[in-house]
Amino acid sequence: MAEEQEKKTFDWLPEGMEPLADGEYDAIIMGTGLKECVLSGLLSVQGMRVLQVDRNNYYGADCASLNLTNLYEKFNAGKPPESLGANRDFNVDLIPKFIMACGNLTKMLLHSKVTRYLEFKSIEGSYVYKGGKILKVPATPEEALKSPLMGLFEKRRFRTFLIFIDQYDETKPETHQGKDLTTMTMKELYTSFGLQPDTHQFISHAMCLELDESHMDKPALQTVKGLQTYCYSLSRYGTSPYIYPVYGLGGLPEGFSRLCAVHGGTFMLHRDVDEITYNDKGEANGVKSGNEMARAKFVVGDPSYFPKEKVKATGQIVRCICFLNHPIPNCGDLESVQIIIPGPQVGRTNDIFVCSLSNNHQVAAKGVYIAIVSTKMEGNDADKEVVPGLALLGHIMQRFTMVATTYEPVGDGSNDKCFISSSFDASSHFEGDVDDLLSLYKRVTGKDLDMTINADSVEADY
């Protein structure tokens, strides 16, 4: 009886309904994907009362890391063969993405001190596909001089270009060499150094991480900043600019969830949202789940939790998860690599991304390598879209293919208090997704997240 009396009642609670958890919050966040968990962690640190719900019984939503049994169940593939190894040895990411060592996601991890919950290892190699071959992306101006990607004179021009990028500072005109990158296009910048179109392509796609050719006719500044982040990250680790959490990406949303919980956040897994409630102005003010309700000043979530009229489809992405019994050929027997296939190299508009991981990052049993091929769909045949990527892998023991429709919000949330994240893109890195996360943070809080923290090392928090 005492428990019955302690149950809170609220004026807004309709008869027959009960409060969901504590009933009243500053924010209700739907889904435990990476973006939602980062946001719940950051908001709770600022003193907001956060309720986070997820229809699944595990953290991570689309960015979850699955063991072998769960993976085979998800794809209705029957029972995993014993030859693959023990269930506990596998942490297979549904959306595998590498983290730029000195990029914005690393800054968020350091900013929120979530690095204390995670261990990272660098990715061993960064490659680009050109003229039917897999070639290493040069890591330094000196390595550029030895690269088979370019002829002798082009190498020297490329080296001069890299030196310009390295010393360029937006705030110091003396580093600009007379080039105004707020008006000069990327194509004009490349041409000013005498670089050939083939070189433009590999720099833009494999180093600046542009997804197509549209950036070439836009002001060069943003693309140059992306290239600076790549080069700076590369200089930190020497082998590639990417790092990856040991035991898979599932640790990222879990780390931010812990941060939120430490600051008083409430989590409810295996709890779907039946309805988002609104006030008379059409602003979201809570959620219903079964016969329970909670109120908040606003709601946040991934597109799957919102009515169709609040989101719009932006395309489809195909992802293939492949089990190999060998490293990807022609990559120096490295156990973890990224290969970018620029779309124009294989007659496509969009790039194809190939990445591989192994027991070195504790995501597979010894002797098993996980390779993932992903791209934005340009036709209707998913298998055909990834053929150029699959062709690089050699013998494939097992393959799982999934096609996902991607969505983005119709509005920015200012009118209806529904703050919706966009679906993850097709790339094998987080740079574009972090831009969406920063935009989501600003829409929710009205201010930019402080990203001035030095991201030299993910160990800096210890």
Side-chain angles (χ1 to χ4, degrees):
M1 283 299 290
E3 282 184 23
E4 289 293 321
Q5 289 167 356
E6 282 174 23
K7 197 164 260 189
K8 292 182 181 178
T9 57
F10 300 95
D11 294 340
W12 50 261
L13 200 62
E15 197 172 329
M17 298 292 287
E18 294 186 357
L20 178 63
D22 290 339
E24 289 185 343
Y25 293 88
D26 293 310
I28 294 172
I29 297 181
M30 301 177 291
T32 55
L34 178 61
K35 295 177 188 180
E36 290 71 37
C37 286
V38 171
L39 206 58
S40 72
L42 295 174
L43 295 180
S44 64
V45 167
Q46 292 172 21
M48 286 195 190
R49 299 188 69 228
V50 176
L51 169 65
Q52 191 160 5
V53 297
D54 194 309
R55 63 172 70 92
N56 300 306
N57 61 358
Y58 53 83
Y59 286 103
D62 287 342
C63 351
S65 304
L66 302 184
N67 64 27
L68 209 51
T69 304
N70 291 343
L71 183 72
Y72 271 71
E73 276 175 13
K74 182 175 176 63
F75 289 96
N76 299 312
K79 196 178 174 188
E82 290 182 12
S83 59
L84 282 175
N87 203 24
R88 65 178 180 276
D89 290 336
F90 286 82
N91 294 287
V92 183
D93 292 314
L94 295 177
I95 300 184
K97 284 174 175 277
F98 294 159
I99 300 167
M100 188 66 75
C102 299
N104 281 339
L105 182 54
T106 303
K107 288 182 179 180
M108 284 183 188
L109 291 163
L110 291 166
H111 182 85
S112 56
K113 297 184 167 45
V114 167
T115 42
R116 68 181 63 168
Y117 305 131
L118 299 161
E119 181 189 346
F120 293 88
K121 282 189 175 180
S122 63
I123 297 300
E124 293 176 300
S126 180
Y127 291 80
V128 64
Y129 179 88
K130 184 187 173 193
K133 294 180 180 176
I134 300 173
L135 300 170
K136 189 176 187 303
V137 178
T140 62
E142 288 65 41
E143 206 172 276
L145 293 176
K146 300 173 190 170
S147 173
L149 276 163
M150 298 159 283
L152 178 62
F153 295 111
E154 187 73 350
K155 286 174 183 174
R156 290 175 182 169
R157 291 189 285 265
F158 176 58
R159 184 175 183 275
T160 305
F161 173 74
L162 279 187
I163 290 168
F164 166 75
I165 296 297
D166 182 56
Q167 57 83 51
Y168 179 86
D169 185 330
E170 189 182 357
T171 62
K172 294 178 182 173
E174 65 271 20
T175 68
H176 296 183
Q177 295 183 14
K179 301 177 189 348
D180 181 359
L181 300 193
T182 61
T183 56
M184 188 181 215
T185 67
M186 199 64 207
K187 187 183 286 181
E188 288 168 345
L189 179 62
Y190 284 141
T191 306
S192 73
F193 282 91
L195 295 168
Q196 301 300 308
D198 261 9
T199 310
H200 306 179
Q201 198 182 91
F202 102 75
I203 297 172
S204 282
H205 292 260
M207 299 176 76
C208 306
L209 305 181
E210 295 288 353
L211 303 179
D212 54 37
E213 295 290 287
S214 60
H215 67 285
M216 290 292 280
D217 298 315
K218 294 176 184 172
L221 186 60
Q222 281 309 110
T223 303
V224 164
K225 283 182 175 177
L227 180 53
Q228 286 183 323
T229 302
Y230 184 98
C231 292
Y232 187 42
S233 299
L234 198 52
S235 69
R236 299 303 306 162
Y237 290 93
T239 54
S240 89
Y242 303 109
I243 56 175
Y244 196 81
V246 176
Y247 303 110
L249 293 175
L252 292 177
E254 285 179 21
F256 282 99
S257 299
R258 282 177 75 176
L259 179 70
C260 181
V262 164
H263 288 85
T266 303
F267 285 84
M268 302 183 84
L269 296 180
H270 216 212
R271 179 60 70 106
D272 208 350
V273 172
D274 298 322
E275 185 187 339
I276 298 168
T277 60
Y278 299 86
N279 63 19
D280 296 340
K281 298 179 190 170
E283 298 169 333
N285 66 358
V287 298
K288 280 185 187 175
S289 177
N291 71 330
E292 295 179 312
M293 286 179 71
R295 279 275 170 96
K297 295 168 185 171
F298 57 88
V299 297
V300 179
D302 73 51
S304 70
Y305 286 90
F306 290 89
K308 286 180 181 171
E309 64 269 17
K310 291 198 180 292
V311 296
K312 61 182 177 187
T314 54
Q316 288 187 306
I317 290 172
V318 55
R319 294 184 178 95
C320 280
I321 299 171
C322 304
F323 286 173
L324 315 178
N325 58 3
H326 55 84
I328 293 180
N330 305 310
C331 295
D333 284 335
L334 299 181
E335 298 205 348
S336 57
V337 299
Q338 173 176 265
I339 307 166
I340 293 178
I341 305 175
Q345 285 287 325
V346 288
R348 290 174 53 84
T349 301
N350 295 283
D351 294 356
I352 298 173
F353 296 88
V354 181
C355 60
S356 75
L357 293 156
S358 70
N359 180 255
N360 194 28
H361 284 84
Q362 303 295 323
V363 297
K366 282 189 175 174
V368 178
Y369 299 80
I370 299 173
I372 300 95
V373 182
S374 57
T375 190
K376 191 169 182 179
M377 293 271 286
E378 295 179 3
N380 299 317
D381 186 344
D383 288 338
K384 190 177 174 186
E385 303 272 342
V386 290
V387 162
L390 296 175
L392 304 181
L393 303 184
H395 173 66
I396 299 169
M397 295 193 291
Q398 175 72 46
R399 176 176 142 203
F400 305 97
T401 302
M402 55 187 163
V403 176
T405 301
T406 54
Y407 295 92
E408 68 180 19
V410 171
D412 63 6
S414 56
N415 293 327
D416 59 7
K417 301 301 178 202
C418 291
F419 298 100
I420 307 170
S421 62
S422 296
S423 306
F424 284 95
D425 66 26
S427 70
S428 54
H429 53 77
F430 278 112
E431 293 308 285
D433 300 302
V434 172
D435 289 343
D436 177 52
L437 182 46
L438 289 170
S439 159
L440 186 62
Y441 179 86
K442 186 170 185 177
R443 298 198 315 262
V444 169
T445 64
K447 54 184 187 279
D448 289 311
L449 182 63
D450 176 18
M451 298 297 280
T452 54
I453 191 166
N454 187 315
D456 272 359
S457 171
V458 285
E459 312 303 327
D461 183 43
Y462 291 95

Short mmCIF file of all heavy atoms in Angstrom, two decimals, residues 137-168:
data_model
loop_
_atom_site.label_atom_id
_atom_site.label_comp_id
_atom_site.label_asym_id
_atom_site.label_seq_id
_atom_site.Cartn_x
_atom_site.Cartn_y
_atom_site.Cartn_z
N VAL A 137 47.11 5.54 -49.55
CA VAL A 137 47.04 7.01 -49.55
C VAL A 137 48.31 7.52 -48.88
O VAL A 137 48.63 7.12 -47.76
CB VAL A 137 45.79 7.50 -48.78
CG1 VAL A 137 45.76 9.02 -48.75
CG2 VAL A 137 44.52 6.95 -49.42
N PRO A 138 49.07 8.41 -49.53
CA PRO A 138 50.32 8.90 -48.93
C PRO A 138 50.07 9.55 -47.56
O PRO A 138 49.13 10.32 -47.40
CB PRO A 138 50.82 9.94 -49.94
CG PRO A 138 50.12 9.62 -51.21
CD PRO A 138 48.81 9.02 -50.84
N ALA A 139 50.92 9.21 -46.60
CA ALA A 139 50.74 9.71 -45.23
C ALA A 139 51.53 10.99 -44.97
O ALA A 139 51.22 11.73 -44.06
CB ALA A 139 51.16 8.63 -44.24
N THR A 140 52.55 11.25 -45.76
CA THR A 140 53.40 12.43 -45.56
C THR A 140 53.82 12.97 -46.93
O THR A 140 53.77 12.25 -47.93
CB THR A 140 54.69 12.07 -44.79
OG1 THR A 140 55.43 11.13 -45.59
CG2 THR A 140 54.38 11.45 -43.44
N PRO A 141 54.30 14.24 -46.98
CA PRO A 141 54.82 14.75 -48.26
C PRO A 141 55.94 13.87 -48.81
O PRO A 141 56.06 13.69 -50.01
CB PRO A 141 55.34 16.15 -47.89
CG PRO A 141 54.48 16.57 -46.72
CD PRO A 141 54.23 15.30 -45.95
N GLU A 142 56.74 13.30 -47.91
CA GLU A 142 57.85 12.42 -48.34
C GLU A 142 57.30 11.13 -48.97
O GLU A 142 57.80 10.66 -49.99
CB GLU A 142 58.75 12.08 -47.15
CG GLU A 142 59.61 13.24 -46.65
CD GLU A 142 58.79 14.38 -46.07
OE1 GLU A 142 57.80 14.10 -45.35
OE2 GLU A 142 59.11 15.54 -46.36
N GLU A 143 56.25 10.57 -48.33
CA GLU A 143 55.65 9.35 -48.87
C GLU A 143 54.99 9.64 -50.22
O GLU A 143 54.95 8.77 -51.10
CB GLU A 143 54.61 8.82 -47.87
CG GLU A 143 54.39 7.31 -47.98
CD GLU A 143 53.51 6.78 -46.86
OE1 GLU A 143 54.03 6.51 -45.77
OE2 GLU A 143 52.30 6.63 -47.09
N ALA A 144 54.49 10.85 -50.38
CA ALA A 144 53.85 11.24 -51.64
C ALA A 144 54.85 11.12 -52.80
O ALA A 144 54.48 10.75 -53.92
CB ALA A 144 53.33 12.68 -51.54
N LEU A 145 56.13 11.43 -52.51
CA LEU A 145 57.15 11.37 -53.57
C LEU A 145 57.41 9.94 -54.04
O LEU A 145 57.94 9.73 -55.12
CB LEU A 145 58.45 12.01 -53.08
CG LEU A 145 58.39 13.53 -52.84
CD1 LEU A 145 59.70 14.03 -52.26
CD2 LEU A 145 58.04 14.27 -54.13
N LYS A 146 57.05 8.95 -53.22
CA LYS A 146 57.28 7.55 -53.60
C LYS A 146 55.99 6.87 -54.09
O LYS A 146 56.01 5.71 -54.49
CB LYS A 146 57.80 6.76 -52.39
CG LYS A 146 59.11 7.28 -51.82
CD LYS A 146 59.45 6.54 -50.53
CE LYS A 146 60.62 7.20 -49.80
NZ LYS A 146 60.82 6.67 -48.46
N SER A 147 54.86 7.58 -54.03
CA SER A 147 53.57 6.95 -54.30
C SER A 147 53.37 6.61 -55.77
O SER A 147 53.64 7.44 -56.64
CB SER A 147 52.44 7.88 -53.84
OG SER A 147 51.19 7.36 -54.25
N PRO A 148 52.84 5.40 -56.06
CA PRO A 148 52.55 5.04 -57.46
C PRO A 148 51.27 5.70 -57.97
O PRO A 148 50.88 5.50 -59.12
CB PRO A 148 52.38 3.51 -57.39
CG PRO A 148 51.97 3.23 -55.99
CD PRO A 148 52.62 4.28 -55.13
N LEU A 149 50.60 6.49 -57.09
CA LEU A 149 49.37 7.17 -57.51
C LEU A 149 49.61 8.23 -58.58
O LEU A 149 48.70 8.60 -59.31
CB LEU A 149 48.70 7.84 -56.29
CG LEU A 149 47.80 6.97 -55.43
CD1 LEU A 149 47.57 7.64 -54.08
CD2 LEU A 149 46.48 6.70 -56.12
N MET A 150 50.86 8.74 -58.63
CA MET A 150 51.14 9.88 -59.51
C MET A 150 52.47 9.71 -60.23
O MET A 150 53.35 8.99 -59.75
CB MET A 150 51.21 11.18 -58.68
CG MET A 150 49.93 11.54 -57.98
SD MET A 150 50.23 12.66 -56.59
CE MET A 150 50.86 11.56 -55.35
N GLY A 151 52.61 10.44 -61.34
CA GLY A 151 53.89 10.49 -62.04
C GLY A 151 54.85 11.42 -61.29
O GLY A 151 54.47 12.12 -60.36
N LEU A 152 56.10 11.46 -61.75
CA LEU A 152 57.17 12.18 -61.05
C LEU A 152 56.85 13.67 -60.84
O LEU A 152 56.92 14.17 -59.72
CB LEU A 152 58.49 12.04 -61.83
CG LEU A 152 59.69 12.79 -61.24
CD1 LEU A 152 60.03 12.25 -59.86
CD2 LEU A 152 60.89 12.67 -62.17
N PHE A 153 56.46 14.38 -61.90
CA PHE A 153 56.23 15.83 -61.78
C PHE A 153 54.97 16.10 -60.96
O PHE A 153 54.90 17.07 -60.21
CB PHE A 153 56.15 16.48 -63.17
CG PHE A 153 57.45 16.41 -63.92
CD1 PHE A 153 57.59 15.61 -65.04
CD2 PHE A 153 58.55 17.13 -63.47
CE1 PHE A 153 58.80 15.53 -65.70
CE2 PHE A 153 59.77 17.07 -64.14
CZ PHE A 153 59.90 16.26 -65.25
N GLU A 154 53.96 15.22 -61.11
CA GLU A 154 52.73 15.38 -60.34
C GLU A 154 53.00 15.21 -58.84
O GLU A 154 52.41 15.90 -58.01
CB GLU A 154 51.67 14.37 -60.82
CG GLU A 154 50.30 14.56 -60.21
CD GLU A 154 49.54 15.77 -60.73
OE1 GLU A 154 50.13 16.60 -61.46
OE2 GLU A 154 48.35 15.91 -60.40
N LYS A 155 53.91 14.31 -58.51
CA LYS A 155 54.27 14.10 -57.10
C LYS A 155 54.81 15.38 -56.47
O LYS A 155 54.48 15.73 -55.34
CB LYS A 155 55.33 12.99 -56.98
CG LYS A 155 54.79 11.59 -57.19
CD LYS A 155 55.91 10.57 -57.20
CE LYS A 155 55.37 9.18 -57.50
NZ LYS A 155 56.43 8.19 -57.65
N ARG A 156 55.65 16.08 -57.23
CA ARG A 156 56.23 17.31 -56.70
C ARG A 156 55.15 18.38 -56.50
O ARG A 156 55.15 19.12 -55.52
CB ARG A 156 57.32 17.82 -57.65
CG ARG A 156 58.55 16.92 -57.63
CD ARG A 156 59.57 17.36 -58.66
NE ARG A 156 60.72 16.47 -58.67
CZ ARG A 156 61.66 16.49 -59.62
NH1 ARG A 156 61.57 17.36 -60.61
NH2 ARG A 156 62.66 15.65 -59.57
N ARG A 157 54.22 18.46 -57.47
CA ARG A 157 53.12 19.43 -57.34
C ARG A 157 52.24 19.08 -56.14
O ARG A 157 51.80 19.96 -55.39
CB ARG A 157 52.30 19.46 -58.63
CG ARG A 157 53.04 20.07 -59.81
CD ARG A 157 52.14 20.28 -61.01
NE ARG A 157 51.83 19.03 -61.70
CZ ARG A 157 52.49 18.58 -62.77
NH1 ARG A 157 53.52 19.27 -63.26
NH2 ARG A 157 52.14 17.45 -63.35
N PHE A 158 52.00 17.79 -55.97
CA PHE A 158 51.18 17.31 -54.85
C PHE A 158 51.85 17.65 -53.51
O PHE A 158 51.20 18.09 -52.56
CB PHE A 158 50.97 15.79 -54.98
CG PHE A 158 50.21 15.16 -53.83
CD1 PHE A 158 48.93 15.57 -53.49
CD2 PHE A 158 50.79 14.14 -53.08
CE1 PHE A 158 48.23 14.98 -52.45
CE2 PHE A 158 50.10 13.55 -52.03
CZ PHE A 158 48.82 13.97 -51.71
N ARG A 159 53.16 17.45 -53.46
CA ARG A 159 53.91 17.77 -52.24
C ARG A 159 53.79 19.26 -51.92
O ARG A 159 53.56 19.65 -50.77
CB ARG A 159 55.38 17.36 -52.41
CG ARG A 159 56.22 17.56 -51.16
CD ARG A 159 57.65 17.01 -51.38
NE ARG A 159 58.43 17.15 -50.15
CZ ARG A 159 59.09 18.26 -49.81
NH1 ARG A 159 59.04 19.33 -50.60
NH2 ARG A 159 59.77 18.31 -48.67
N THR A 160 53.93 20.12 -52.94
CA THR A 160 53.79 21.57 -52.75
C THR A 160 52.39 21.91 -52.23
O THR A 160 52.22 22.76 -51.35
CB THR A 160 54.05 22.31 -54.09
OG1 THR A 160 55.33 21.90 -54.59
CG2 THR A 160 54.04 23.81 -53.91
N PHE A 161 51.39 21.23 -52.81
CA PHE A 161 49.99 21.44 -52.39
C PHE A 161 49.81 21.05 -50.91
O PHE A 161 49.21 21.80 -50.14
CB PHE A 161 49.08 20.60 -53.29
CG PHE A 161 47.63 20.59 -52.86
CD1 PHE A 161 46.82 21.71 -53.06
CD2 PHE A 161 47.06 19.46 -52.28
CE1 PHE A 161 45.48 21.70 -52.67
CE2 PHE A 161 45.74 19.44 -51.89
CZ PHE A 161 44.94 20.57 -52.09
N LEU A 162 50.36 19.90 -50.50
CA LEU A 162 50.24 19.44 -49.11
C LEU A 162 50.91 20.41 -48.13
O LEU A 162 50.40 20.67 -47.04
CB LEU A 162 50.84 18.04 -48.93
CG LEU A 162 50.00 16.84 -49.34
CD1 LEU A 162 50.70 15.55 -48.93
CD2 LEU A 162 48.61 16.88 -48.73
N ILE A 163 52.06 20.96 -48.55
CA ILE A 163 52.77 21.92 -47.68
C ILE A 163 51.92 23.18 -47.50
O ILE A 163 51.80 23.73 -46.40
CB ILE A 163 54.16 22.24 -48.26
CG1 ILE A 163 55.06 21.00 -48.12
CG2 ILE A 163 54.79 23.43 -47.55
CD1 ILE A 163 56.36 21.08 -48.91
N PHE A 164 51.24 23.62 -48.59
CA PHE A 164 50.34 24.77 -48.50
C PHE A 164 49.19 24.47 -47.52
O PHE A 164 48.86 25.29 -46.66
CB PHE A 164 49.77 25.11 -49.88
CG PHE A 164 48.59 26.05 -49.84
CD1 PHE A 164 48.76 27.41 -49.57
CD2 PHE A 164 47.29 25.57 -50.05
CE1 PHE A 164 47.66 28.28 -49.52
CE2 PHE A 164 46.20 26.43 -49.99
CZ PHE A 164 46.39 27.78 -49.73
N ILE A 165 48.60 23.28 -47.65
CA ILE A 165 47.47 22.89 -46.78
C ILE A 165 47.92 22.85 -45.32
O ILE A 165 47.23 23.31 -44.41
CB ILE A 165 46.92 21.50 -47.20
CG1 ILE A 165 46.33 21.55 -48.61
CG2 ILE A 165 45.89 20.99 -46.19
CD1 ILE A 165 45.13 22.46 -48.78
N ASP A 166 49.11 22.31 -45.09
CA ASP A 166 49.63 22.15 -43.72
C ASP A 166 49.80 23.50 -43.02
O ASP A 166 49.50 23.64 -41.84
CB ASP A 166 50.96 21.40 -43.76
CG ASP A 166 51.51 21.16 -42.36
OD1 ASP A 166 50.79 20.56 -41.54
OD2 ASP A 166 52.64 21.59 -42.09
N GLN A 167 50.28 24.51 -43.76
CA GLN A 167 50.55 25.80 -43.11
C GLN A 167 49.38 26.77 -43.20
O GLN A 167 49.38 27.82 -42.56
CB GLN A 167 51.83 26.43 -43.69
CG GLN A 167 51.80 26.64 -45.21
CD GLN A 167 51.11 27.92 -45.64
OE1 GLN A 167 51.41 28.99 -45.13
NE2 GLN A 167 50.16 27.82 -46.57
N TYR A 168 48.33 26.44 -43.98
CA TYR A 168 47.21 27.36 -44.17
C TYR A 168 46.45 27.60 -42.86
O TYR A 168 46.09 26.65 -42.16
CB TYR A 168 46.24 26.81 -45.23
CG TYR A 168 45.03 27.71 -45.45
CD1 TYR A 168 45.08 28.76 -46.35
CD2 TYR A 168 43.84 27.52 -44.74
CE1 TYR A 168 44.00 29.61 -46.55
CE2 TYR A 168 42.75 28.36 -44.92
CZ TYR A 168 42.83 29.39 -45.83
OH TYR A 168 41.75 30.22 -46.01
#
